[in-house]
Amino acid sequence: SQTIHQWPATLVQPVGSPLSLECTVEGTSNPNLYWYRQAAGRGLQLLFYSVGIGQISSEVPQNLSASRPQDRQFILSSKKLLLSDSGFYLCAWSAGTSHTGELFFGEGSRLTVL
Amino acid sequence: GQNIDQPTEMTATEGAIVQINCTYQTSGFNGLFWYQQHAGEAPTFLSYNVLDGLEEKGRFSSFLSRSKGYSYLLLKELQMKDSASYLCAVRDGDYKLSFGAGTTVTVRA
């Protein structure tokens, strides 16, 4: 069966510090991968999605970046965090061969920038 | 872009029925999803509609009208564990999934 993991689960970072969130998927090949952010009381905002290694589409031009160094690995990064980067970050995957497949979410990473 | 609207909050009594409406305006349409999200947790998939009509899954049903840009999620025989946020999401013509802000349902005894 397919599983998705992301880490760390919780982190508190000072403004201006770097960020790295990692997500891996197991049990499937060539998944579509996504990073979403959910601010407190807000909906899910799509940040990045990827349909293959090295292929990243950005939805939100901010101080965040994403990379996909391997087929089932998706990394969200920032060189300098802002207060507004605080939120609940969710990695998700969907079947690459099926455009009708639902998203499966990781456990989430709660980021607090102080 | 996408515009997805759903009520912010709803309250209902245990054992009752609640209907959560969702309206959307999208550039292309490739399906509508409903997700459940408990506080502090990741969303979990509930239902998927791509054709007009009603899809039933146990106590949960979801309806879609593509011509009206409208969907609803029906929760029957409410239980306390159904207290959660319910997210309406639409897949657009580019197959990206965009979410509404969510409807927080509170079930009271």
Side-chain angles (χ1 to χ4, degrees), chain A residues 34 36 38 41-46 49 59 88 90 94 98-108 110, chain B residues 30 33 35 37 39-45 47-48 50 85 87 91 94-102:
Chain A
Y34 308 80
Y36 284 87
Q38 187 174 38
R42 305 278 300 274
L44 289 167
Q45 179 187 32
L46 179 62
Y49 71 98
E59 294 295 304
F88 191 44
L90 288 156
S94 66
S98 171
H99 285 304
T100 61
E102 70 265 31
L103 290 186
F104 299 92
F105 287 89
E107 306 92 334
R110 188 163 303 281
Chain B
N30 282 293
F33 298 78
Y35 281 80
Q37 186 178 25
E41 299 180 6
T44 55
F45 170 77
S47 69
Y48 168 71
V50 67
S85 182
L87 311 177
R91 192 186 298 277
D94 294 325
Y95 295 96
K96 289 180 295 184
L97 195 62
S98 296
F99 287 80

Side-chain angles (χ1 to χ4, degrees), chain A residues 5-8 11 13 17-24 33-38 45-49 56-60 62-69 73-81 85-92 108-111:
Chain A
H5 299 288
Q6 63 176 104
W7 66 93
L11 63 166
Q13 297 282 102
S17 64
L19 171 74
S20 181
L21 301 178
E22 189 164 342
C23 171
T24 59
L33 296 172
Y34 308 80
W35 278 110
Y36 284 87
R37 176 172 62 202
Q38 187 174 38
Q45 179 187 32
L46 179 62
L47 300 176
F48 300 94
Y49 71 98
I56 310 292
S57 295
S58 173
E59 294 295 304
V60 183
Q62 294 181 353
N63 65 320
L64 299 171
S65 62
S67 62
R68 184 170 178 173
Q73 184 185 27
F74 206 24
I75 298 171
L76 182 69
S77 305
S78 174
K79 292 182 179 178
K80 288 186 177 182
L81 285 169
D85 291 324
S86 293
F88 191 44
Y89 288 80
L90 288 156
C91 180
S109 300
R110 188 163 303 281
L111 169 66

